[in-house]
């Protein structure tokens, strides 16, 4: 027979359960944070639509002007989904919460393609790189090269993620050096045109790209969300995942393929945003306070949209300096990255 339980033990057990949100306090905190993020996202989105809109709210003229501004909000949502879900998934696959997909050379490849076009063809080269076929081609090239790298480095007898990351850093650095060499040989006018294109900004997005970017973003994002339970197992490590009946290498390859699609779509759409993903993922882990990707993903996406839309709203309507939004985000993200590196002492 079981002995009598200590006073309050039954109450304690009733308030705690196993799972990603084990206590009522944790569950309440999560939903409060999620609700606050939703309110902030809606507030900033409406602010971008309505602030300094000369027409009365709800009128035909108001919505006509709002439609012109809605494109930027849609682009922010796409970038938030791509950067947030890609970074969280990539960090799970590599079992490291510091490195990001940008380290694999996506942005270096994008910069090299754009620089090579204007270096070989002049200012008309960037015009030739514009258009839906060219947009699709850039995504295919980035996804194809990344998957060739993943497949080669993870399929060998001694293949592992550490070697893959090291090779990715070397390739990214090499592409960056080639781009820097070509930039030095450009004329001042061509360099100014190129610099404007390589500057990560929502205004770089072309409306004609959205019918391609939206399905790719939603498709890859939904697939990652549906595989949240598998990602939870991958996070336990290769040995544990294999012992639980999951083919760790095959699952990692599948995750990296979806990450490649998301990162290629975001980079080809708005340009490089190196530390946005790291900033968003770090804040999401802290706010969600859960290992379950089913709970981390929504927080990460909302944080990404709030960061982007909030920064654009404040810098555009208060400081009239929307051009420095990307610089501000990169500066904050880079500072946070250095802080984590110094605190942890290793990659």
């Amino acid at each position: 027979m079981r002995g009598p339980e200590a006073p309050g033990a039954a109450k304690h057990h009733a308030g705690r359960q196993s799972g990603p949100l084990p206590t009522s306090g944790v569950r309440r905190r999560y939903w409060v944070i999620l609700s606050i993020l939703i309110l902030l996202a809606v507030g900033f989105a409406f602010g971008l639509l309505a602030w300094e809109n000369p027409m009365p709210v709800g009128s035909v003229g108001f919505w006509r002007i709002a439609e012109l501004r809605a494109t930027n909000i849609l682009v922010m949502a796409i970038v938030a989904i791509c950067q947030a879900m890609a970074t969280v998934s990539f960090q799970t696959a590599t079992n490291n919460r510091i490195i990001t997909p940008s380290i694999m050379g996506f942005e270096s490849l994008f910069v090299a393609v754009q620089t090579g076009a204007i270096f070989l063809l002049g200012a008309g080269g960037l015009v030739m790189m514009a258009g839906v076929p060219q947009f699709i081609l850039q995504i295919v090239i980035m996804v194809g090269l990344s998957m060739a790298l993943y497949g080669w480095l993870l399929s060998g007898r001694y293949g592992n993620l550490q070697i893959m990351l090291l090779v990715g850093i070397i390739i990214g650095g090499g592409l960056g050096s080639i781009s820097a060499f070509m930039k030095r040989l450009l004329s001042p006018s061509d360099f100014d045109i190129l610099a404007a294109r390589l500057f990560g900004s929502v205004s770089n997005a072309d409306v004609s790209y959205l019918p391609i970017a939206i399905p790719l973003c939603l498709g890859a994002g939904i697939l990652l969300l549906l595989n949240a339970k598998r990602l939870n197992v991958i996070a336990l490590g290769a040995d544990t995942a294999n012992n639980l009946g999951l083919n760790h290498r095959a699952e990692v390859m599948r995750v990296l393929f979806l990450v490649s699609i998301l990162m290629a779509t975001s980079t080809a759409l708005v340009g490089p945003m190196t530390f946005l993903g790291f900033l968003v993922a770090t804040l999401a882990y802290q706010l969600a306070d859960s290992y379950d990707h089913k709970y981390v993903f929504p927080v990460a996406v909302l944080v990404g949209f709030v960061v982007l839309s909030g920064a654009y709203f404040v810098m555009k309507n208060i400081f009239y300096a929307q051009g420095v939004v990307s610089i501000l985000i990169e500066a904050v993200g880079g500072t946070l990255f250095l802080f984590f590196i110094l605190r942890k002492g290793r990659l």
Side-chain angles (χ1 to χ4, degrees):
M1 295 179 63
R2 297 178 57 187
E5 292 187 350
K11 181 179 179 180
H12 173 75
H13 292 307
R16 176 177 290 274
Q17 62 183 28
S18 61
L21 302 175
T23 66
S24 59
V26 173
R27 291 192 293 272
R28 183 167 55 253
R29 176 181 176 274
Y30 175 84
W31 292 112
V32 167
I33 289 176
L34 193 68
S35 301
I36 292 174
L37 289 173
I38 292 174
L39 291 176
L40 288 174
V42 173
F44 283 129
F46 183 77
L48 290 171
L49 292 176
W51 192 272
E52 293 186 352
N53 190 325
M55 305 302 293
V57 177
S59 65
V60 176
F62 172 86
W63 290 114
R64 191 165 296 170
I65 295 175
E67 286 178 5
L68 299 176
R69 301 180 177 183
T71 301
N72 284 343
I73 297 176
L74 181 58
V75 171
M76 291 179 197
I78 293 173
V79 173
I81 294 173
C82 290
Q83 292 282 344
M85 300 196 73
T87 304
V88 171
S89 301
F90 186 81
Q91 291 180 345
T92 296
T94 57
N95 197 23
N96 191 308
R97 289 193 177 182
I98 292 181
I99 58 176
T100 67
S102 300
I103 205 172
M104 295 305 299
F106 285 101
E107 295 171 356
S108 298
L109 177 61
F110 174 81
V111 171
V113 170
Q114 299 291 324
T115 306
I118 198 170
F119 176 78
L120 297 174
L121 304 173
L126 286 183
V127 178
M128 296 180 63
M129 291 302 298
V132 175
Q134 291 82 355
F135 176 72
I136 297 174
L137 179 61
Q138 290 183 64
I139 294 177
V140 171
I141 290 175
M142 284 189 278
V143 174
L145 290 179
S146 62
M147 290 312 299
L149 176 66
Y150 297 152
W152 170 50
L153 293 176
L154 290 179
S155 61
R157 178 181 177 184
Y158 300 104
N160 58 67
L161 287 170
Q162 288 71 29
I163 294 178
M164 182 191 73
L165 295 174
L166 180 60
V167 173
I169 293 173
I170 295 173
I171 292 176
L175 290 174
S177 299
I178 295 173
S179 300
F181 172 75
M182 290 189 291
K183 289 177 184 177
R184 289 181 177 273
L185 301 179
L186 295 176
S187 65
S189 59
D190 287 346
F191 181 82
D192 288 342
I193 296 172
L194 176 65
R197 182 66 184 94
L198 295 182
F199 185 74
S201 175
V202 172
S203 60
N204 287 340
D206 192 324
V207 178
S208 62
Y209 298 166
L210 296 182
I212 305 298
I214 292 174
L216 288 175
C217 171
L218 293 180
I222 291 173
L223 286 176
L224 286 174
L225 184 60
L226 292 176
N227 284 281
K229 292 183 178 180
R230 291 177 178 269
L231 286 169
N232 296 340
V233 178
I234 292 174
L236 299 176
D239 293 337
T240 304
N242 289 326
N243 289 336
L244 292 174
L246 194 69
N247 189 331
H248 183 267
R249 180 169 293 179
E251 292 298 330
V252 167
M253 285 291 295
R254 186 178 295 111
V255 170
L256 293 178
F257 174 67
L258 297 175
V259 168
S260 301
I261 293 177
L262 291 173
M263 288 303 299
T265 301
S266 174
T267 305
L269 185 64
V270 301
M273 288 191 171
T274 306
F275 290 109
L276 175 62
F278 176 79
L279 175 63
V280 168
T282 301
L283 293 176
Y285 288 130
Q286 297 298 319
L287 294 176
D289 193 22
S290 174
Y291 66 85
D292 196 337
H293 291 73
K294 180 176 64 176
Y295 296 100
V296 176
F297 279 146
V299 174
V301 171
L302 285 171
V303 168
F305 184 78
V306 168
V307 168
L308 278 174
S309 60
Y312 268 91
F313 178 81
V314 172
M315 301 307 296
K316 178 181 178 180
N317 298 304
I318 298 178
F319 296 101
Y320 304 100
Q322 64 267 27
V324 303
V325 169
S326 297
I327 298 177
L328 180 63
I329 292 175
E330 296 298 278
V332 174
T335 303
L336 186 63
F337 179 80
L338 290 176
F339 171 77
F340 269 80
I341 289 290
L342 293 174
R343 191 181 74 169
K344 195 171 183 179
R346 62 181 178 83
L347 283 174

